[in-house]
Amino acid sequence: MEMIHRDSSRSPFFRPTETRFQRVANAMRRSINRANHLNQSFVFPNSPKTTVISALGEYLMSYSVGTPSLQVFGIVDTGSDIIWLQCQPCKKCYKQITPIFDSSKSKTYKTLPCPSNTCQSVQGTSCSSRKNCLYSIDYADGSHSQGDLSVETLTLGSTSGSPVQFPGTVIGCGRDNAIGFEEKNSGIVGLGRGPVSLITQLSPSTGGKFSYCLVPGLSTASSKLNFGNAAVVSGRGTVSTPLFSKNGLVFYFLTLEAFSVGRNRIEFGSPRSGGKGNIIIDSGTTLTVLPNGVYSKLESAVAKTVKLKRVRDPNQVLGLCYKVTPDKLDASVPVITAHFSGADVTLNAINTFVQVADDVVCFAFQPTETGAVFGNLAQQNLLVGYDLQKNTVSFKHTDCTKQ
């Protein structure tokens, strides 16, 4: 399936009046907000509003819902555990430029009863006066969705070219929805851990496997999201690292042991978590976010090797910036190796620096007080495969524009 970057000209979010660098600056700010929410969940796992992340994700996927089917766009979120979309009749819906799904016109739509096992397994459910199962989900930025927990037929694309139907998929039919800023998507497609996330529900067909390959920058090429056998990452250059779950959270945790810049190795330790599962891997956060101490050592090591003129970030977001034309960037900055447990992943200039103005690039890492996030810039041109049965994540350097 296609994953469309929210700032791509093919996205319903696209604003033609914004310059390329305004889009980059906005993505940096969204990234910091999202990373703060992720790390808040990491540190305060019992806080009811931080078990799921907001609709600040950077990628959309197109899928179809109902019979007859209606095409919708949902934000792909590895930090959420439910699929929900806006539904008519709607008590309170935010503005959506694509048609809103009308559940009363679908032959395959059914609400779930309150006593059902599915209703009991989802957090935040309650009973309506008609004994239907109601869901309520609150996000860390104040956004929310409430409505009927239901079953419906979802239709996804496939490698054969023919769409594949998944009848009886559990979805949230949102009758009262608010997003912290006006958006044009239909809702969220949760790819996190949890009983009704898309990946969990597809597991009987896919064996708990999914992968994505993120194209660089704001390319018009779309990134690919694969499930099942098509998601297996293998062959020369593939490295794999154990995947952890923590405190019942829906996020995917990896163990990062260190970074290397040349021969300079910067250890990454987390006494709070005993070292295991100390960083969240997330497709919806743009920057890679590190604890203050690790970040400062890594920034210092990079600064020592780069012989370019230091400048300030015009957006006042990132700390280490240089004056350089993008075509000379690869030769000017060091390769950084992320040493995950059992897997060394080399990060090239495309993964570690972002262009923020005509001749200005900045180090795409950010310090934080708590937690850590391996963001999507660091994952560009990597085929990233999750296997939830083996509990591994695999990486392989790939030209994602050719996937």
Side-chain angles (χ1 to χ4, degrees):
M1 300 188 63
E2 288 188 320
M3 289 172 72
I4 302 165
H5 194 279
R6 59 176 292 153
D7 287 331
S8 159
S9 58
R10 299 173 58 208
S11 161
F13 293 152
F14 182 71
R15 291 178 182 158
T17 53
E18 285 183 336
T19 67
R20 176 187 172 188
F21 299 124
Q22 282 174 322
R23 293 185 191 112
V24 170
N26 291 339
M28 298 300 107
R29 293 188 183 101
R30 287 194 301 267
S31 177
I32 290 165
N33 287 339
R34 182 176 171 89
N36 287 340
H37 294 326
L38 280 163
N39 288 325
Q40 211 180 349
S41 308
F42 195 174
V43 179
F44 305 112
N46 297 321
S47 174
K49 284 206 174 182
T50 56
T51 51
V52 286
I53 303 310
S54 69
L56 297 171
E58 295 296 295
Y59 290 89
L60 300 161
M61 67 176 261
S62 168
Y63 65 100
S64 295
V65 60
T67 310
S69 64
L70 175 73
Q71 184 188 32
V72 293
F73 287 98
I75 288 177
V76 175
D77 191 357
T78 50
S80 290
D81 61 349
I82 191 169
I83 309 159
W84 68 262
L85 67 158
Q86 297 207 110
C87 287
Q88 299 281 19
C90 195
K91 192 164 81 175
K92 183 187 173 190
C93 278
Y94 55 83
K95 185 178 179 183
Q96 182 181 317
I97 56 169
T98 53
I100 294 177
F101 175 64
D102 189 338
S103 59
S104 67
K105 293 183 178 174
S106 172
K107 297 173 189 171
T108 45
Y109 176 84
K110 284 183 186 172
T111 54
L112 282 167
C114 241
S116 66
N117 290 337
T118 303
C119 185
Q120 303 298 320
S121 72
V122 176
Q123 285 188 339
T125 53
S126 61
C127 280
S128 73
S129 56
R130 296 180 180 177
K131 301 295 183 189
N132 287 340
C133 185
L134 302 177
Y135 78 94
S136 178
I137 188 164
D138 291 309
Y139 294 92
D141 66 348
S143 305
H144 72 263
S145 177
Q146 296 164 0
D148 298 309
L149 198 66
S150 316
V151 290
E152 181 55 287
T153 297
L154 294 195
T155 305
L156 309 181
S158 80
T159 47
S160 71
S162 301
V164 180
Q165 290 191 330
F166 293 92
T169 303
V170 178
I171 63 166
C173 216
R175 313 290 184 184
D176 179 348
N177 314 296
I179 284 187
F181 41 88
E182 187 177 294
E183 291 295 10
K184 295 161 186 170
N185 66 300
S186 307
I188 285 183
V189 178
L191 280 183
R193 295 180 183 270
V196 293
S197 77
L198 180 62
I199 188 60
T200 302
Q201 292 195 72
L202 293 188
S203 279
S205 306
T206 64
K209 299 180 186 71
F210 72 97
S211 71
Y212 51 74
C213 202
L214 304 181
V215 298
L218 306 180
S219 169
T220 52
S222 61
S223 301
K224 296 296 187 292
L225 175 64
N226 286 317
F227 298 95
N229 292 336
V232 174
V233 180
S234 60
R236 188 176 176 184
T238 301
V239 293
S240 300
T241 187
L243 182 62
F244 296 90
S245 54
K246 308 192 77 169
N247 302 328
L249 296 171
V250 302
F251 315 130
Y252 298 106
F253 291 90
L254 307 180
T255 302
L256 181 63
E257 296 173 351
F259 285 105
S260 289
V261 182
R263 294 182 180 178
N264 190 349
R265 184 177 167 101
I266 296 103
E267 295 296 330
F268 187 108
S270 176
R272 180 191 300 279
S273 60
K276 287 189 176 179
N278 57 12
I279 189 165
I280 296 168
I281 180 170
D282 184 45
S283 62
T285 304
T286 302
L287 303 171
T288 290
V289 180
L290 303 173
N292 286 324
V294 178
Y295 173 83
S296 61
K297 288 177 186 174
L298 182 61
E299 184 194 85
S300 176
V302 172
K304 280 179 185 172
T305 65
V306 178
K307 307 302 180 192
L308 299 168
K309 182 185 176 185
R310 288 276 298 263
V311 292
R312 288 179 179 274
D313 176 6
N315 305 308
Q316 300 180 326
V317 174
L318 300 173
L320 182 63
C321 301
Y322 296 100
K323 191 168 181 63
V324 63
T325 53
D327 59 318
K328 294 182 179 171
L329 183 60
D330 284 329
S332 307
V333 302
V335 172
I336 297 174
T337 303
H339 300 284
F340 293 101
S341 176
D344 291 347
V345 179
T346 54
L347 304 177
N348 300 313
I350 196 173
N351 306 113
T352 55
F353 280 82
V354 60
Q355 188 183 4
V356 297
D358 276 335
D359 291 335
V360 178
V361 299
C362 294
F363 191 44
F365 287 63
Q366 182 80 7
T368 184
E369 297 288 333
T370 54
V373 182
F374 192 63
N376 63 43
L377 285 179
Q379 299 175 59
Q380 289 181 152
N381 272 355
L382 284 169
L383 184 56
V384 183
Y386 297 68
D387 187 324
L388 304 188
Q389 289 187 352
K390 292 182 180 175
N391 274 318
T392 59
V393 173
S394 300
F395 300 93
K396 183 181 180 181
H397 279 281
T398 305
D399 182 348
C400 292
T401 62
K402 294 179 179 174
Q403 279 291 292

